[in-house]
Amino acid sequence: MENGIKIELKAVSKNFKKTKIIKEMDLLVNPGEFLVLLGPSGCGKSTTLRMIAGLESVSAGEVLFDGKNAQKMTSLQKNIAMVFQDYALYPNMTVSQNLEYALKVHKVEVDVRKQRINKILKTLDLIKVANNYPSQLSGGQKQRTALGRGMIKQSRLFLLDEPLSNIDVQLREKARDEIQYIHQQNQQTIIYVTHDQTEAMALGDRIAVMDNGKIQMVATPDEIYNHPRNLFVAKFIGSPQINLIAAKVNNNCLNKGKLQLVNDLKQITAYQFQEEEEIYFGIRPENIQLTAPKKEHVVGIVTQITDYGRYQQIIVEIATDLTLKVISNDTTTQVGDEVGVVFNTDKILLFDTQNGMNLN
Amino acid sequence: MENGIKIELKAVSKNFKKTKIIKEMDLLVNPGEFLVLLGPSGCGKSTTLRMIAGLESVSAGEVLFDGKNAQKMTSLQKNIAMVFQDYALYPNMTVSQNLEYALKVHKVEVDVRKQRINKILKTLDLIKVANNYPSQLSGGQKQRTALGRGMIKQSRLFLLDEPLSNIDVQLREKARDEIQYIHQQNQQTIIYVTHDQTEAMALGDRIAVMDNGKIQMVATPDEIYNHPRNLFVAKFIGSPQINLIAAKVNNNCLNKGKLQLVNDLKQITAYQFQEEEEIYFGIRPENIQLTAPKKEHVVGIVTQITDYGRYQQIIVEIATDLTLKVISNDTTTQVGDEVGVVFNTDKILLFDTQNGMNLN
Amino acid sequence: MSKSKTLGWHLFLIVICLIAVLPVVFMLSNSFKTLRESYHSILQLIPLHPTLSNYKTLMQEVNLFGLIWNTFFMATLVTFGKIFSSMLAASAFQYYDFRWKKTLYFIFVATIFVPFTTIMIPNYLVIAKLNLLNTVVGVVLPQLCDATGIMLFTKALEKIPASLLEVAAIDGIPRWRIFVNLLIPMLRPNIISIGAMFFINSWNEYVWPTLILKDKNSFTLPLALQNYISSEGGTNFPLAMALSSIMIVVPLVIYILFQRFILNSISSTGLK
Amino acid sequence: MSKSKTLGWHLFLIVICLIAVLPVVFMLSNSFKTLRESYHSILQLIPLHPTLSNYKTLMQEVNLFGLIWNTFFMATLVTFGKIFSSMLAASAFQYYDFRWKKTLYFIFVATIFVPFTTIMIPNYLVIAKLNLLNTVVGVVLPQLCDATGIMLFTKALEKIPASLLEVAAIDGIPRWRIFVNLLIPMLRPNIISIGAMFFINSWNEYVWPTLILKDKNSFTLPLALQNYISSEGGTNFPLAMALSSIMIVVPLVIYILFQRFILNSISSTGLK
């Protein structure tokens, strides 16, 4: 099998009628990399994938495959495999025939075909249903067949468009493991579109977070989670969502009304704030500790506890209409308790209220 | 608003042609309780809900509403509201008209109608789209309209059939909060069907876990998670899944090959094992600690680390083809490290290999 | 797919177009020719000496508005009758269980495959026995039930999600209200497209009224047209073409008015 | 819904049934009566003295197998031609962009609303000019293009998910293979049901062949039937009924063979 291909998008735009769906996007996908395009529905992530696949024309800019302009290449030259959200299995062909069809059309030898098919049927646990038609398959089997049809081409670029969104939650964990296994085995470049942040975090070497036709941030999962570039990324990643409080800078402190959220801003960031400037204070639910209330603490009342088994979600009201979500493993807290709220200082995130940029 | 109704199922069965879909089910839902029916697709949870609603006939047994046989009651006497998975909004009516229709047909006074509609539009943030038709609504708005149409009846029983499965992951957190709020406000009995364990854990006062037409366990979320009654419940609840190892009882110890998993079974359970009996050893990923390897530990190699931001999932290989999934917040572990595996003794679960029952 | 290689398709579509559209053009064209010109150059697309004389003659010779009214009246009656009977029968087939349901449905659909030519005589005899010859009722009655309509409405009802009716049932909405407030509005596109089809078919109906109607005053357009084209009538082609052109006006207006529904047609259900 | 209150529906369905099914029963019944009996008790459902004499007479008087063969042959030709031209045209409308596409589609569908009666003469003249009178080609040619078929196939193609063709495009499958290996198998139920419709329509075609065919050897069944029912022919009802009964055999056999597809009909696409 060949190595993965390098994909570059240079100032790529896509207009649909008069709407700009993709706005001058630059993106580099390294050979053999697993890149996830993550974003809410309608952010343009699927359109980006389809432009790379050549299914949508590019309104401006260039898509380069190993430095060559992809628009002039035939589908055979591009050598792409793609898995669609609806699987797009040929309904008139069995699982084996679905796997075999493209190879057969391109006159790959029978022996090679049979060998590859058998290997894939085995890897993806599809042997029992090899002669079934798509309508006779379960959701998970359809998904694996679609995956297999992509794998059998042994292409240098593998595109996946929300391949797990139509299967049961219970099966997704297994399917994720399979996709990870496939990527480890082959050295293909993979571009994977999803709206599910857990999937993105689990799979991506790097994640490109998109919103509104623009890439908001491209980085490793760790960077994205802990150092989001702007408010959108901070809010989109993480479940439960990050706690955000609009607060005012006051003499190197950050205050929300009478509450002092940060007592030494310089410790957190080198950014020069103006006095009385309003900024967003952000803290993820797991970076808050609840303790016995002391004078120096922000103090609140526990209003709700939801037990998720592995952890608890605790809602703490620290002022009227101002609550914090806290994730904790401590099971001693009760609803009604008065608690001290301690923020994990090096995890505090600050954002500009105007443009949403991270100020840390 | 009246109080919630008491629902009882007594030896209820449902046959479809010759297949038994529901097998002699008993279930008690207390007045005002939020009960979640949880299970994989095809387990019969929706059928159970539909029998309670009267949309499916009962093949044997009885459904009782406050002690009275529901089969003989008209839909007006039963006074149920129901939200369907596909929302089932009347496509030819606006949001307001959808809310109003049933009230209008039953000749509720105009003033009362208007008042209730306005309150619901406000609560569910639907004022802006009050005059839109369903086809003009986003997924979340459709879902809230369906919820509102259920709420406006002020019924004593509210049935919800996977109401969140068709909306974006990002919106589900908010929608869950709304449903919880509704339940807190009103004292209705709620029966809620879902296949999503997180939803079930978050919402249910009690959860009834179903599989294969039978209730496997009815209990609070905490009980279900920490003391699953059998193997099915243990595997179905929790993500990532519980680690399960088939092991042998040997002189008050539990061994897998050369590995000693438990060195004092009596400390865990009072159950009398037979010597050489094979049982399943189960431990949830967060109940495993990784330490520096010592002699008394089970020792393994870290083969994979996935960073989910809030936590890390670490795969440890403790023998050939035998891996453990570990959830940890510790970020110092590296792939390739040799680690000692410590099981949190009071969280160990033991299951019979024959009937899957919990032996703790 | 790409925009290239469309030349072949263009040629193909042009041929198809010739077969489908050309006769209509000839018809219109000849209706503006004199009898003389049409004899000499009947396939001439653009009349050399266009004239309205044929239309004028028609205005004088036949009761044009009477003809249009008769045709319109009967077509409307048939259309509403068929829509109503088809919707009710389809609701019965879709939502009620009764014995022999599938068999009955099978037999209904089978009647689509019985040529009208073959049941014309039995129908004629029944109408004659009922003393309905030469009456509007005689023309309309046997057309009131239509298996195609039952089949199409049954299909359309199948596509309405069961949950919609279940919500209504749980909310205690009476059945007639479900029919009037939900089914009819939801099936509106189907009603319009199937209705248009019924109307056009009835408008164009030729053989059956020939048998039943003898009185010139109750004649419909197709019957009048026969006077100019049948072996018994004359052979004044341009005049026949003028009447033909008048005859297609109403169907085309209906098409243009309801094109949105008709083009989306049979398969849509009004649900998004 | 419940099984109760179905009495009203039963009555309604019985009335509908009388209108739709009774004429067929009369037809069959009278085909087994003698001329004398049919005169006296034409509405008698079960013949008092059933006889096969009408069928025997037909076997002697007309070349029954020749008639069936002629009808079958022309109907088959027309069916395949229409299916092929409709599928190709529908593919062009669905998958290619070209100028005037929407307008052209609009015009095509408009031809559905032009009564055949009105374009019969122009068609006749074209066929006459082409020297194709009294030939099979003359009968078949103007029927080869059908806007209904184009419309139905375009609808059917719309329901095939775009992703199926995109996968094929990414995999570099040539277009003709997409048509043959994917579109045709996926549209199989549509091809069968629309094909059956085409076949039946052509089988029952009566007016057009009357104009084109003069030679008794190339007559089709509906033409032969005319000999027994038209004002020119006799008035031997039982004989006409026997020929009618023979005429519905082929369509009914087709219906029974393909009922699964026909009942699922027009709206299905073969995708689950």
Side-chain angles (χ1 to χ4, degrees):
Chain A
M1 183 170 293
E2 299 175 82
N3 286 330
I5 201 165
K6 183 170 80 174
I7 306 290
E8 281 165 288
L9 271 64
K10 289 198 168 164
V12 166
S13 294
K14 174 73 187 176
N15 308 329
F16 184 69
K17 286 176 182 163
K18 290 193 174 172
T19 323
K20 279 210 163 190
I21 299 177
I22 303 292
K23 295 157 189 163
E24 303 208 339
M25 178 186 288
D26 289 306
L27 181 65
L28 170 69
V29 188
N30 295 312
E33 186 175 33
F34 196 131
L35 183 98
V36 176
L37 285 174
L38 174 69
S41 43
C43 73
K45 54 191 191 303
S46 275
T47 308
T48 307
L49 194 76
R50 292 169 60 81
M51 284 194 294
I52 295 171
L55 294 172
E56 301 275 354
S57 64
V58 173
S59 303
E62 281 184 322
V63 177
L64 303 178
F65 278 42
D66 270 348
K68 275 171 268 171
N69 193 326
Q71 279 129 292
K72 290 167 192 159
M73 294 161 84
T74 66
S75 56
L76 284 180
Q77 288 168 330
K78 280 197 260 188
N79 192 13
I80 301 176
M82 182 157 171
V83 175
F84 288 77
Q85 187 172 2
D86 63 359
Y87 313 135
L89 300 177
Y90 304 131
N92 55 315
M93 300 184 193
T94 64
V95 169
S96 294
Q97 287 166 346
N98 261 285
L99 297 177
E100 190 174 16
Y101 184 56
L103 301 184
K104 205 167 166 182
V105 168
H106 296 127
K107 306 208 169 73
V108 174
E109 274 175 43
V110 179
D111 292 353
V112 179
R113 258 147 58 185
K114 293 285 167 229
Q115 194 192 327
R116 285 201 208 167
I117 291 170
N118 285 334
K119 195 179 157 210
I120 281 175
L121 290 176
K122 211 171 158 187
T123 310
L124 296 177
D125 191 20
L126 289 167
I127 293 175
K128 277 187 200 159
V129 294
N131 295 316
N132 286 18
Y133 287 92
S135 58
Q136 302 165 314
L137 301 179
S138 71
Q141 289 165 340
K142 281 183 197 164
Q143 190 269 335
R144 293 205 298 279
T145 307
L147 216 55
R149 191 177 55 182
M151 288 162 63
I152 205 163
K153 289 186 72 185
Q154 306 191 336
S155 64
R156 296 177 64 199
L157 176 62
F158 201 174
L159 307 175
L160 298 104
D161 191 0
E162 309 230 13
L164 305 187
S165 61
N166 284 332
I167 58 172
D168 269 17
V169 180
Q170 311 301 324
L171 289 171
R172 280 190 207 162
E173 202 178 319
K174 189 159 172 279
R176 280 210 303 257
D177 290 348
E178 264 155 17
I179 290 172
Q180 228 158 7
Y181 175 80
I182 291 166
H183 185 231
Q184 275 162 12
Q185 291 287 305
N186 314 333
Q187 290 306 308
Q188 293 165 300
T189 304
I190 295 189
I191 305 181
Y192 185 106
V193 164
T194 183
H195 65 271
D196 182 337
Q197 39 145 329
T198 316
E199 226 167 275
M201 301 286 280
L203 289 170
D205 292 331
R206 286 192 306 154
I207 299 174
V209 182
M210 286 186 70
D211 185 40
N212 201 13
K214 279 184 184 163
I215 289 184
Q216 304 291 327
M217 185 174 186
V218 194
T220 61
D222 175 66
E223 276 285 309
I224 297 252
Y225 189 82
N226 291 309
H227 307 289
R229 210 173 131 245
N230 60 29
L231 206 52
F232 175 81
V233 177
K235 282 163 78 177
F236 192 76
I237 304 279
S239 166
Q241 266 195 3
I242 190 169
N243 294 294
L244 286 172
I245 302 171
K248 265 191 185 148
V249 174
N250 205 311
N251 194 16
N252 196 34
C253 296
L254 189 61
N255 300 325
K256 168 71 180 181
K258 288 174 192 164
L259 301 173
Q260 185 169 79
L261 300 172
V262 180
N263 59 18
D264 185 4
L265 275 172
K266 285 191 181 130
Q267 197 193 332
I268 299 175
T269 174
Y271 188 88
Q272 294 294 320
F273 295 99
Q274 291 176 307
E275 198 63 11
E276 294 291 314
E277 183 175 349
E278 194 174 60
I279 58 173
Y280 281 118
F281 166 88
I283 185 92
R284 295 207 180 271
E286 71 273 19
N287 296 326
I288 302 176
Q289 267 81 47
L290 301 180
T291 65
K294 285 185 191 161
K295 228 183 178 178
E296 70 270 26
H297 290 157
V298 170
V299 173
I301 304 285
V302 173
T303 58
Q304 193 190 322
I305 299 180
T306 310
D307 189 347
Y308 285 92
R310 209 173 71 217
Y311 59 88
Q312 292 193 303
Q313 177 186 296
I314 301 172
I315 311 265
V316 180
E317 193 171 283
I318 54 172
T320 317
D321 281 338
L322 187 62
T323 59
L324 290 174
K325 278 195 177 173
V326 180
I327 290 292
S328 151
N329 295 316
D330 166 33
T331 55
T332 59
T333 315
Q334 302 284 323
V335 170
D337 283 3
E338 200 185 41
V339 290
V341 176
V342 181
F343 304 115
N344 192 339
T345 315
D346 56 338
K347 296 287 189 179
I348 289 172
L349 297 167
L350 302 174
F351 301 95
D352 193 307
T353 43
Q354 304 302 313
N355 59 22
M357 294 310 287
N358 185 337
L359 303 175
N360 289 65
Chain B
M1 185 170 292
E2 300 174 81
N3 287 329
I5 201 166
K6 183 171 80 175
I7 306 291
E8 282 164 288
L9 271 63
K10 289 199 168 163
V12 166
S13 294
K14 175 72 187 177
N15 308 329
F16 185 70
K17 285 175 185 168
K18 291 194 173 169
T19 323
K20 280 210 164 191
I21 298 176
I22 304 291
K23 295 157 190 162
E24 302 208 341
M25 179 186 288
D26 289 308
L27 182 66
L28 170 69
V29 189
N30 295 311
E33 185 176 35
F34 196 129
L35 183 98
V36 176
L37 284 174
L38 174 69
S41 42
C43 73
K45 54 189 191 301
S46 275
T47 309
T48 307
L49 194 76
R50 292 169 60 81
M51 283 194 295
I52 295 171
L55 295 172
E56 301 274 355
S57 64
V58 173
S59 304
E62 280 184 321
V63 177
L64 303 178
F65 279 41
D66 270 348
K68 276 171 269 170
N69 193 327
Q71 278 131 291
K72 289 166 193 160
M73 295 161 84
T74 66
S75 55
L76 285 180
Q77 289 169 329
K78 280 197 263 189
N79 192 13
I80 301 175
M82 183 157 171
V83 174
F84 288 76
Q85 186 173 3
D86 64 358
Y87 313 136
L89 301 177
Y90 304 130
N92 54 314
M93 300 184 194
T94 64
V95 170
S96 294
Q97 287 167 346
N98 262 284
L99 297 178
E100 191 174 16
Y101 184 56
L103 301 184
K104 205 168 167 182
V105 168
H106 296 125
K107 304 206 169 74
V108 174
E109 275 175 43
V110 178
D111 292 353
V112 179
R113 257 147 57 186
K114 293 286 168 229
Q115 195 193 326
R116 285 202 208 166
I117 291 170
N118 286 334
K119 195 180 156 210
I120 281 175
L121 290 178
K122 211 171 158 189
T123 311
L124 295 178
D125 191 20
L126 289 167
I127 294 175
K128 278 187 199 159
V129 295
N131 295 314
N132 286 18
Y133 286 92
S135 59
Q136 302 165 315
L137 301 179
S138 72
Q141 289 165 340
K142 280 183 198 164
Q143 190 269 335
R144 294 205 297 279
T145 307
L147 216 54
R149 191 178 54 183
M151 288 162 64
I152 206 163
K153 289 186 71 186
Q154 307 190 335
S155 64
R156 297 178 62 199
L157 176 61
F158 202 176
L159 306 175
L160 297 104
D161 189 0
E162 309 229 13
L164 305 188
S165 61
N166 284 331
I167 58 172
D168 269 19
V169 179
Q170 311 301 322
L171 290 170
R172 279 191 209 162
E173 202 178 320
K174 190 160 170 280
R176 281 210 302 257
D177 290 349
E178 265 155 16
I179 291 172
Q180 228 158 7
Y181 175 79
I182 292 166
H183 185 231
Q184 274 162 12
Q185 291 288 305
N186 315 332
Q187 290 306 310
Q188 293 165 299
T189 304
I190 296 189
I191 306 180
Y192 185 106
V193 163
T194 182
H195 66 270
D196 182 338
Q197 40 145 328
T198 315
E199 227 166 275
M201 301 286 280
L203 290 169
D205 292 331
R206 287 193 305 154
I207 299 174
V209 183
M210 287 186 69
D211 185 41
N212 202 14
K214 280 186 184 162
I215 289 184
Q216 303 292 325
M217 185 176 186
V218 194
T220 61
D222 174 67
E223 276 285 310
I224 296 251
Y225 189 82
N226 291 308
H227 307 290
R229 208 172 134 248
N230 60 29
L231 206 51
F232 175 81
V233 177
K235 281 163 79 176
F236 192 76
I237 304 280
S239 165
Q241 266 194 2
I242 190 169
N243 294 293
L244 287 171
I245 301 171
K248 265 191 188 149
V249 175
N250 205 310
N251 195 15
N252 196 32
C253 298
L254 190 62
N255 299 325
K256 168 72 179 180
K258 289 173 191 163
L259 301 173
Q260 185 169 79
L261 301 173
V262 180
N263 60 18
D264 185 4
L265 274 174
K266 286 193 182 131
Q267 196 192 331
I268 299 175
T269 175
Y271 188 86
Q272 294 295 321
F273 295 101
Q274 291 177 309
E275 198 64 12
E276 293 290 315
E277 184 176 347
E278 194 173 61
I279 59 173
Y280 280 117
F281 166 88
I283 184 93
R284 295 208 180 271
E286 71 274 19
N287 295 327
I288 302 177
Q289 268 81 47
L290 301 182
T291 65
K294 286 185 192 161
K295 229 183 178 178
E296 70 271 25
H297 291 155
V298 170
V299 174
I301 304 286
V302 173
T303 58
Q304 194 191 322
I305 299 180
T306 310
D307 188 347
Y308 285 93
R310 209 174 71 218
Y311 59 89
Q312 292 194 306
Q313 177 186 298
I314 301 172
I315 312 264
V316 180
E317 192 170 285
I318 55 172
T320 318
D321 281 337
L322 186 62
T323 59
L324 290 174
K325 279 196 176 170
V326 180
I327 291 291
S328 151
N329 296 316
D330 165 35
T331 54
T332 58
T333 315
Q334 301 286 320
V335 171
D337 282 2
E338 200 185 43
V339 289
V341 176
V342 181
F343 304 115
N344 192 340
T345 315
D346 57 339
K347 295 289 190 180
I348 289 172
L349 297 167
L350 302 174
F351 300 95
D352 193 306
T353 43
Q354 303 303 313
N355 58 21
M357 295 309 288
N358 184 337
L359 303 175
N360 290 64
Chain C
M1 298 188 185
S2 84
K3 291 186 182 187
S4 64
K5 295 187 196 168
T6 55
L7 184 68
W9 288 107
H10 268 113
L11 285 174
F12 171 77
L13 286 172
I14 287 166
V15 170
I16 294 289
C17 213
L18 286 180
I19 298 178
V21 180
L22 216 54
V24 183
V25 178
F26 277 132
M27 173 186 77
L28 286 172
S29 153
N30 277 293
S31 76
F32 295 106
K33 293 178 187 170
T34 59
L35 185 55
R36 187 192 198 91
E37 186 185 348
S38 92
Y39 267 131
H40 286 108
S41 52
I42 201 152
L43 296 183
Q44 173 74 31
L45 270 185
I46 296 163
L48 297 174
H49 312 287
T51 169
L52 285 172
S53 64
N54 299 311
Y55 290 93
K56 281 181 196 149
T57 314
L58 276 182
M59 296 290 274
Q60 290 153 6
E61 275 193 13
V62 297
N63 177 2
L64 211 48
F65 294 106
L67 280 176
I68 292 176
W69 169 249
N70 284 343
T71 321
F72 184 83
F73 177 69
M74 286 187 210
T76 308
L77 262 185
V78 168
T79 302
F80 279 92
K82 269 183 175 177
I83 289 278
F84 185 71
S85 72
S86 304
M87 278 190 75
L88 282 183
S91 305
F93 280 119
Q94 181 65 19
Y95 297 122
Y96 290 84
D97 276 328
F98 48 87
R99 236 205 285 204
W100 308 116
K101 179 164 130 168
K102 284 197 174 169
T103 316
L104 195 59
Y105 188 70
F106 177 87
I107 293 172
F108 266 124
V109 177
T111 65
I112 297 177
F113 297 88
V114 176
F116 184 70
T117 330
T118 63
I119 57 166
M120 209 156 59
I121 304 178
N123 266 334
Y124 178 84
L125 294 170
V126 173
I127 294 299
K129 288 265 172 190
L130 293 171
N131 258 333
L132 292 171
L133 283 183
N134 219 3
T135 66
V136 172
V137 176
V139 175
V140 169
L141 190 64
Q143 297 187 58
L144 277 190
C145 163
D146 185 88
T148 316
I150 294 174
M151 185 166 145
L152 291 176
F153 275 115
T154 307
K155 282 279 134 203
L157 287 176
E158 267 174 25
K159 289 200 183 154
I160 293 183
S163 57
L164 274 171
L165 301 168
E166 288 174 347
V167 157
I170 283 180
D171 284 352
I173 313 288
R175 282 189 201 163
W176 69 269
R177 290 204 77 134
I178 293 179
F179 190 81
V180 173
N181 295 358
L182 297 175
L183 291 186
I184 289 181
M186 283 193 275
L187 292 180
R188 201 172 53 120
N190 303 76
I191 293 172
I192 292 176
S193 67
I194 298 172
M197 191 183 84
F198 285 167
F199 185 89
I200 303 307
N201 284 347
S202 178
W203 180 269
N204 299 341
E205 188 54 70
Y206 160 78
V207 181
W208 177 242
T210 322
L211 286 175
I212 302 300
L213 301 178
K214 301 295 168 203
D215 175 8
K216 273 226 170 191
N217 285 327
S218 53
F219 261 28
T220 61
L221 279 169
L223 295 193
L225 182 59
Q226 199 198 18
N227 281 343
Y228 295 93
I229 60 170
S230 74
S231 46
E232 298 136 50
T235 46
N236 190 330
F237 284 142
L239 215 53
M241 292 301 93
L243 190 54
S244 297
S245 302
I246 290 167
M247 198 173 139
I248 70 169
V249 169
V250 173
L252 282 184
V253 167
I254 287 180
Y255 172 53
I256 288 161
L257 283 181
F258 296 118
Q259 51 157 309
R260 190 163 65 93
F261 297 102
I262 291 165
L263 288 176
N264 284 328
S265 181
I266 300 159
S267 47
S268 99
T269 64
L271 297 167
K272 285 190 187 171
Chain D
M1 300 192 185
S2 86
K3 290 186 182 185
S4 64
K5 296 186 196 169
T6 54
L7 184 68
W9 287 108
H10 267 113
L11 286 174
F12 172 76
L13 285 172
I14 287 166
V15 170
I16 295 290
C17 214
L18 285 180
I19 298 178
V21 180
L22 215 55
V24 183
V25 178
F26 278 130
M27 174 185 78
L28 286 172
S29 153
N30 278 292
S31 76
F32 295 106
K33 293 179 188 169
T34 59
L35 184 55
R36 185 191 198 92
E37 185 184 349
S38 90
Y39 266 129
H40 285 109
S41 52
I42 201 152
L43 295 185
Q44 173 75 33
L45 270 185
I46 296 164
L48 298 173
H49 312 286
T51 168
L52 284 171
S53 64
N54 299 310
Y55 291 93
K56 281 183 196 145
T57 312
L58 275 182
M59 295 290 273
Q60 290 153 8
E61 273 194 13
V62 297
N63 177 4
L64 211 49
F65 295 105
L67 281 176
I68 293 176
W69 169 249
N70 284 342
T71 321
F72 184 83
F73 177 70
M74 284 186 209
T76 308
L77 262 186
V78 168
T79 303
F80 279 93
K82 269 182 176 178
I83 289 279
F84 185 72
S85 72
S86 304
M87 279 191 74
L88 282 183
S91 305
F93 280 118
Q94 180 65 18
Y95 297 121
Y96 289 84
D97 276 327
F98 48 86
R99 238 207 282 208
W100 308 115
K101 177 165 132 167
K102 285 197 174 172
T103 315
L104 195 59
Y105 188 69
F106 178 87
I107 292 173
F108 265 123
V109 176
T111 64
I112 296 177
F113 297 88
V114 175
F116 184 69
T117 331
T118 64
I119 57 166
M120 210 158 58
I121 303 178
N123 267 333
Y124 178 85
L125 294 170
V126 173
I127 295 300
K129 288 265 173 190
L130 292 171
N131 258 334
L132 293 171
L133 284 183
N134 219 1
T135 67
V136 172
V137 177
V139 176
V140 169
L141 190 64
Q143 295 187 59
L144 278 189
C145 162
D146 186 86
T148 315
I150 294 173
M151 187 167 144
L152 291 176
F153 275 115
T154 307
K155 281 279 134 200
L157 286 176
E158 267 174 25
K159 290 200 183 156
I160 293 183
S163 56
L164 274 172
L165 300 169
E166 289 173 347
V167 157
I170 284 180
D171 285 351
I173 312 289
R175 285 192 199 162
W176 69 269
R177 290 204 78 133
I178 293 179
F179 190 81
V180 173
N181 295 358
L182 296 175
L183 291 186
I184 290 182
M186 284 192 275
L187 292 180
R188 201 172 53 119
N190 304 76
I191 293 173
I192 292 175
S193 67
I194 298 173
M197 190 182 85
F198 285 168
F199 185 90
I200 303 307
N201 284 348
S202 178
W203 179 269
N204 299 341
E205 188 55 72
Y206 160 77
V207 181
W208 177 243
T210 323
L211 286 175
I212 302 301
L213 300 178
K214 301 296 169 203
D215 175 6
K216 274 227 170 192
N217 285 328
S218 53
F219 260 29
T220 60
L221 280 169
L223 295 193
L225 182 58
Q226 199 197 20
N227 282 342
Y228 295 94
I229 59 171
S230 74
S231 45
E232 298 138 50
T235 46
N236 190 330
F237 285 142
L239 214 54
M241 291 303 92
L243 189 55
S244 296
S245 302
I246 290 167
M247 198 172 141
I248 70 169
V249 168
V250 172
L252 282 185
V253 167
I254 287 179
Y255 172 53
I256 288 161
L257 284 181
F258 295 119
Q259 51 156 308
R260 190 162 66 94
F261 296 102
I262 291 165
L263 288 176
N264 284 328
S265 181
I266 299 160
S267 47
S268 99
T269 64
L271 297 166
K272 285 190 189 173

